[in-house]
Amino acid sequence: MNMTRRDLLTLAGGSLLGALFTPVPWKLLDDSSIWTQNWALIPGLPRGPETCTFTACPLCPGGCALKARRVNGYPVSLAGLPDHPVSFGSLCPAGIAGHHLAAHPLRLRQPHVFSGKGPEGKLVPASIEHTVSDIARIVREIQKSGSRGTIAVLDHRPGRAMSRCYQDFLVKCPDGVYIVAPGSEDATLKTLRSLCGFGKGVPGYDFEHTRAILSFGAPLIDGWGTPGRMTTLLQTRKQSGMKLIQAEGVQTRTALQADTWLPVRPGTEALLALGIANTILREGLQHQKADRTIAGFTAYKDAVARFHPDAVAEACGLSSNAIVQTARTIASTPSIILSGSNPAGGPFNAATEVFIAGLNVLLGNIGREGGIQLHRDIPSSTESPLTAKALADVPDHSLRLLIVDAAESGCTYPATLLKRKLMQNGGTVVMMSPYLSPRTALADYVVPGPAAYECLEEISAPPGAQRSTFALSIPLMRRREVSVDPAAFLARISEAAGLPQAKAATTESCLRRRAHDIWLSRRGILAGPATKASTSVRTLSNEEELWKGFLEGGYWIDDPGEAERVSCQSLLGTLSLEHIPAPAASGPSLQLVPFGWRNATTTATVVPVMSKLFQESHLRHLGGRVHINPATLAASGLADGMPVTVTTTAGSMTALAVADPTVLPGIIHAAVGPSPNNTASNERPEPEGLLQLCTVRDDGSWRTTEATIAKA
Amino acid sequence: MRFKRTILFLSGVLASLAIGWFAFPAVLYRTEPQPMQFNHAIHTGEQNGMTCDMCHEFAANGTFRGIPAIAKCAECHSSAIGSSETEKLLVDQYVTSGREIPWKVYSRQPDNAFFPHAVHVNRAELKCEECHGPHGASMSLPVYQVNRISGYSRDIWGRNISGFSPQPWEGLKMDRCVRCHAERRRDDSCLDCHK
């Protein structure tokens, strides 16, 4: 039988048809898809014994205690500890996935030098020896040149043992300056320090006993402070009768859950505070001894007389009755009035902060149960060798070498604020960072620090806490060999530059020194990680026992002790009465107001799984978007989803407009958030998007900026 | 020939069917021996009266331990019970040395599938047999066959290459999970099982 080509095609056609009625194609499809899941190069889950480790989250100052489930030593899940005396079991979404950060796509694998300034600058890998040698050369040059520029360290989380290590390094350098980063301190407590004589006392909020909180935009129940503490406060407020009043121009999550939302126009918070002060003084609701104990009370009272609620209500966008009722609510019970720092918007301008904080002084909330109480600082056997400076207080163009700490405060700030402190044509920035985050945009050298849970880290009390606390974030995974211990890095620079050697050459030795100081003080208790059981430090037989307790996840909590007395109080501090604005100052037509969510202001701090919150579910706002009231959008001839150009005196940028009825008219609510798809790691990163458009004032504030929008 | 092309076409169809249904499974699966035989029936039968969870137990933290460790076997078999070759192998090779038996697992799932036995057994009160069939009554272990492509046991797909079986417990693929959840009106999302 002769087979023609057509016969062969007929046979093949039959075979093909027959094959469709067999499991071959369908089974092969199924098996091959499973096969691709099991390629040798695809990382798989570890198999082995299951253990648990008690540790604490190092991602922000909140320092929530948690339990890590580990398989074969590798962390696979994190969970809060409900019985914990400090963090009460809550974890924010960033904290839940914090153990993924070590494998972030933007993780740095070796030190880098940026060649060339500006966006055209490229990343060039460098050795740690080369980096240390370059920095040591700059230190030597500064030593020789005398007054040509200074050396500074910017600390994102002051008050740690590591902060002392930075100070020890700087004190050996000529004119070393220790700087605390914006957002690393609570704005209201910082202002109160300048208004009142706290001595060595550390102020903290007594939320648990307060009956009213007036918050000027602080995201109290959205990742602020220790999330567990704030969540518990919210849950128990029905029993405690506590009232929450939220004053801000956007109906945020906190505003939604507050008892009263005061939709105040951004930029007029000072007027609102003065309007409240006016009501308090007119109705005689102030602290009984206010006229005798508060410096400058009479002058303040006279100046505030102009700010009758009727006079400020229109400018604030509120009714005068709302202002009067708010004043009566906070004056009738122990209360706390605070501004908090917005994670991306930073503090208000200095005058507004003084007016807000001053309400606490006026009502006698300082040192009062349910108000702002003083507690003792964490024990230290030596005094701080340097005084901390705020970044805004550093003279412009004065820094020759700036070393930026790797720790996260959870907040961000405009790169321009940092840039203007550097010497023109010569300022060198060394960033210690595990990731190529937008923060490294200004860096000349990037030194990879350890990622979360890769090394021992200090967890001390967050700003606003009522007692001093101390714990350790216990490592859950092996540290990458390339990552550099910050204390060891400074020790190497000291050695190479010929500076005297530091006492503590590693982070662990810094932490041991702090544990030693706690042991010497014999103060406080060591709380067990998962139970309510605790041991007094006095009963521990030796220092090692305390250290062992810390390594097992124990939390040191200071005794209540004798509170420091407030020596003096004033309502304006160094602020002159001239700073009090005119009562009916009307703001610009459109205001750019940046906002962010703590721990999620850059892509580098958002683990890939968390990006679902921003991209798929839209539960959180993605960077590069501006939320505008639909009426404001329509008035500008724009629509939802339209690309728009936002222009300020600092420049212009394109963003995506989102029609958002929760935003008051006249506000451009600019999301400073992650761009999860922007993870290219071979170019100089851009600073945080819309923050670049904000005008940074002389007092270091950038909360509102006059802006215009137009179709892009 | 008048019907030459029809015959050729049908020959192609028949050849494909034969290869697909008979030769393909033989090539796709490779038989691998278990390290030793195991008689479930002798343990669960009247003589010993053991239940599944006496060996396949839950740990104190609620996680399912799966195949018991050799220490569990040693609780009864510290010395040989009877004189069978299997018993001798168990005691000499594993119990005495404390070495774990490298069993090949018929129901091993991919790493991305999370199956909490505790929820299904304790809360939903499913019987072991509903998923694993009458394994507990077997006199010997079934032949272990591994899929050459995916690397998983043939029992995941089911013994029948078509994927259909009259036995409800045959196969441990996701469609079975979904069907069972739908029958019981259980809400579920991707992240319930795929962590």
Side-chain angles (χ1 to χ4, degrees):
Chain A
M1 187 172 71
N2 287 334
M3 290 285 277
T4 62
R5 194 174 65 173
R6 180 165 289 192
D7 293 339
L8 283 172
L9 287 172
T10 306
L11 183 69
S15 305
L16 202 62
L17 181 70
L20 292 177
F21 292 95
T22 68
V24 175
W26 325 114
K27 189 82 177 81
L28 285 179
L29 264 178
D30 185 77
D31 288 346
S32 53
S33 68
I34 297 171
W35 172 62
T36 59
Q37 296 169 6
N38 294 324
W39 283 339
L41 290 176
I42 294 176
L45 287 174
R47 291 182 181 277
E50 194 178 310
T51 53
C52 98
T53 301
F54 293 103
T55 181
C57 177
L59 298 184
C60 80
C64 300
L66 50 89
K67 182 170 80 171
R69 193 167 70 89
R70 303 167 83 179
V71 176
N72 207 17
Y74 195 82
V76 292
S77 70
L78 306 178
L81 302 172
D83 286 335
H84 199 271
V86 176
S87 56
F88 303 100
S90 292
L91 280 186
C92 71
I96 286 170
H99 57 302
H100 294 184
L101 278 170
H104 196 284
L106 290 176
R107 182 79 198 274
L108 280 165
R109 286 173 172 76
Q110 68 177 105
H112 282 75
V113 179
F114 282 110
S115 66
K117 292 271 183 188
E120 71 280 0
K122 293 285 177 198
L123 273 173
V124 181
S127 68
I128 187 68
E129 290 76 18
H130 171 82
T131 310
V132 168
S133 148
D134 275 8
I135 297 165
R137 180 178 48 76
I138 296 168
V139 174
R140 283 196 300 270
E141 278 174 15
I142 296 169
Q143 277 180 311
K144 280 180 195 166
S145 66
S147 60
R148 277 197 61 244
T150 52
I151 302 173
V153 172
L154 180 69
D155 192 352
H156 285 117
R157 216 183 285 177
R160 296 169 297 157
M162 194 61 223
S163 307
R164 173 59 66 86
C165 184
Y166 290 141
Q167 292 179 20
D168 287 345
F169 168 75
L170 286 168
V171 84
K172 288 178 236 145
C173 299
D175 301 326
V177 183
Y178 172 69
I179 309 170
V180 293
S184 58
E185 292 177 286
D186 182 274
T188 302
L189 297 179
K190 184 185 164 197
T191 309
L192 281 171
R193 275 183 183 281
S194 68
L195 296 182
C196 307
F198 288 157
K200 287 182 181 175
V202 180
Y205 297 115
D206 186 12
F207 288 127
E208 284 71 14
H209 296 102
T210 196
R211 291 292 169 267
I213 300 173
L214 170 57
S215 152
F216 285 79
L220 289 182
I221 42 185
D222 200 18
W224 191 89
T226 304
R229 185 185 181 199
M230 303 316 291
T231 312
T232 309
L233 195 71
L234 184 73
Q235 286 167 346
T236 56
R237 68 177 165 166
K238 275 187 183 165
Q239 291 87 47
S240 66
M242 188 270 285
K243 299 283 178 210
L244 174 60
I245 304 166
Q246 184 75 1
E248 61 181 323
V250 180
Q251 197 177 30
T252 57
R253 283 173 168 79
T254 304
L256 264 174
Q257 299 200 50
D259 296 283
T260 309
W261 172 42
L262 296 178
V264 61
R265 194 169 291 151
T268 63
E269 290 85 358
L271 288 179
L272 174 60
L274 290 168
I276 292 170
N278 176 287
T279 309
I280 291 168
L281 290 167
R282 259 188 316 106
E283 299 188 2
L285 303 173
Q286 72 274 18
H287 180 223
Q288 285 174 349
K289 296 177 185 170
D291 54 341
R292 279 171 284 152
T293 56
I294 302 172
F297 176 77
T298 313
Y300 177 82
K301 188 177 178 182
D302 293 343
V304 166
R306 292 181 288 147
F307 296 89
H308 192 279
D310 292 340
V312 298
E314 191 185 341
C316 294
L318 300 168
S319 69
S320 59
N321 186 45
I323 299 174
V324 171
Q325 289 304 324
T326 303
R328 287 175 185 163
T329 305
I330 59 170
S332 60
T333 51
S335 60
I336 292 169
I337 298 100
L338 78 165
S339 66
S341 288
N342 186 296
F348 292 109
N349 63 56
T352 304
E353 290 291 353
V354 167
F355 300 143
I356 292 170
L359 290 174
N360 290 296
V361 178
L362 192 63
L363 291 171
N365 290 334
I366 312 299
R368 173 189 194 179
E369 188 182 65
I372 289 143
Q373 292 192 320
L374 299 186
H375 61 266
R376 294 180 295 183
D377 205 351
I378 194 163
S380 177
S381 53
T382 51
E383 291 289 320
S384 300
L386 282 176
T387 310
K389 263 190 175 181
L391 186 57
D393 297 338
V394 175
D396 289 354
H397 311 302
S398 63
L399 303 180
R400 171 72 180 90
L401 174 66
L402 176 66
I403 299 172
V404 183
D405 171 42
E408 278 292 339
S409 65
C411 304
T412 189
Y413 47 87
T416 45
L417 178 57
L418 205 61
K419 200 173 179 180
R420 76 182 187 201
K421 303 298 172 190
L422 299 173
M423 279 179 75
Q424 285 169 319
N425 306 321
T428 302
V429 181
V430 180
M431 296 264 182
M432 291 188 276
S433 170
Y435 319 103
L436 200 64
S437 70
R439 191 172 279 168
T440 60
L442 284 182
D444 297 283
Y445 296 88
V446 186
V447 179
Y453 304 111
E454 278 192 343
C455 70
L456 277 180
E457 286 189 66
E458 177 175 346
I459 306 294
S460 47
Q466 264 187 291
R467 302 248 194 105
S468 290
T469 60
F470 177 84
L472 295 176
S473 175
I474 311 297
L476 300 175
M477 56 195 99
R478 201 164 49 86
R479 199 178 90 190
R480 287 196 181 178
E481 284 172 13
V482 293
S483 65
V484 181
D485 182 318
F489 179 63
L490 292 184
R492 288 181 73 168
I493 293 174
S494 298
E495 189 183 0
L499 299 172
Q501 284 297 296
K503 286 177 203 161
T506 63
T507 301
E508 184 171 338
S509 53
C510 291
L511 293 170
R512 276 196 172 258
R513 201 165 66 174
R514 174 141 282 185
H516 173 74
D517 289 346
I518 292 173
W519 163 252
L520 286 182
S521 76
R522 296 288 178 143
R523 277 161 42 188
I525 54 162
L526 185 65
T531 62
K532 287 177 179 166
S534 59
T535 315
S536 169
V537 173
R538 281 187 208 90
T539 62
L540 298 176
S541 54
N542 56 48
E543 192 181 328
E544 274 308 305
E545 207 175 328
L546 179 67
W547 182 252
K548 190 167 165 262
F550 286 135
L551 292 180
E552 288 170 355
Y555 251 75
W556 174 80
I557 304 169
D558 199 2
D559 296 326
E562 246 187 61
E564 189 88 20
R565 288 192 179 277
V566 182
S567 57
C568 60
Q569 295 187 49
S570 76
L571 287 158
L572 292 172
T574 54
L575 202 71
S576 78
L577 292 172
E578 292 160 11
H579 285 93
I580 297 183
S586 58
S589 55
L590 269 180
Q591 297 244 44
L592 180 74
V593 183
F595 75 98
W597 182 38
R598 195 166 78 167
N599 282 332
T601 49
T602 72
T603 306
T605 51
V606 177
V607 298
V609 72
M610 195 177 146
S611 66
K612 285 176 182 290
L613 295 177
F614 297 85
Q615 293 186 121
E616 292 174 24
S617 64
H618 300 289
L619 285 169
R620 298 285 170 177
H621 302 306
L622 204 60
R625 290 170 191 231
V626 285
H627 292 246
I628 303 171
N629 188 281
T632 308
L633 264 186
S636 308
L638 303 168
D640 183 42
M642 195 179 266
V644 294
T645 304
V646 184
T647 306
T648 67
T649 51
S652 61
M653 285 184 80
T654 304
L656 198 71
V658 179
D660 190 344
T662 64
V663 180
L664 288 187
I667 299 174
I668 304 171
H669 206 216
V672 179
S675 304
N677 296 325
N678 182 19
T679 51
S681 57
N682 56 353
E683 291 175 0
R684 179 185 277 271
E686 285 283 314
E688 280 93 350
L690 291 157
L691 266 189
Q692 295 179 73
L693 294 182
C694 295
T695 307
V696 182
R697 294 174 190 84
D698 290 341
D699 59 8
S701 67
W702 65 93
R703 191 80 162 220
T704 54
T705 305
E706 194 173 342
T708 58
I709 47 166
K711 191 176 173 184
Chain B
M1 281 170 65
R2 195 177 162 193
F3 299 110
K4 180 185 171 189
R5 296 237 166 86
T6 308
I7 292 167
L8 278 172
F9 185 81
L10 289 175
S11 304
V13 171
L14 288 172
S16 280
L17 290 172
I19 291 168
W21 287 100
F22 301 105
F24 175 65
V27 175
L28 182 64
Y29 295 110
R30 179 181 70 236
T31 301
E32 289 186 357
Q34 288 283 12
M36 56 181 279
Q37 260 308 329
F38 188 86
N39 186 340
H40 274 93
I42 207 166
H43 291 82
T44 58
E46 282 183 13
Q47 188 183 344
N48 294 304
M50 294 170 74
T51 55
C52 302
D53 61 357
M54 292 175 80
C55 295
H56 303 282
E57 61 187 358
F58 289 95
N61 62 2
T63 54
F64 184 62
R65 285 202 170 129
I67 291 179
I70 192 65
K72 191 77 191 167
C73 306
E75 287 177 13
C76 302
H77 296 267
S78 53
S79 57
I81 304 171
S83 56
S84 70
E85 280 301 309
T86 309
E87 185 69 18
K88 190 169 182 300
L89 184 68
L90 170 70
V91 175
D92 292 352
Q93 293 288 316
Y94 302 107
V95 174
T96 309
S97 63
R99 192 160 68 92
E100 294 297 335
I101 307 170
W103 294 113
K104 300 194 187 314
V105 185
Y106 300 96
S107 52
R108 185 171 76 85
Q109 293 287 329
D111 285 338
N112 62 2
F114 173 72
F115 181 84
H117 272 86
V119 173
H120 291 82
V121 175
N122 297 335
R123 196 179 295 172
E125 297 181 347
L126 292 187
K127 299 262 181 274
C128 305
E129 294 81 11
E130 289 186 54
C131 295
H132 296 283
H135 204 51
S138 60
M139 306 283 282
S140 62
L141 292 174
V143 175
Y144 180 82
Q145 289 187 304
V146 63
N147 186 311
R148 289 177 197 269
I149 299 171
S150 71
Y152 291 101
S153 160
R154 184 172 186 166
D155 292 66
I156 299 296
W157 177 262
R159 290 275 153 181
N160 191 327
I161 191 69
S162 71
F164 297 104
S165 170
Q167 306 297 345
W169 42 264
E170 278 250 345
L172 289 165
K173 295 275 290 179
M174 193 179 92
D175 59 344
R176 203 168 139 216
C177 306
V178 173
R179 194 169 62 238
C180 191
H181 274 226
E183 284 167 4
R184 288 169 168 77
R185 295 175 182 273
R186 299 298 310 165
D187 289 332
D188 42 28
S189 69
C190 304
L191 288 175
D192 283 349
C193 307
H194 299 290
K195 302 289 182 187

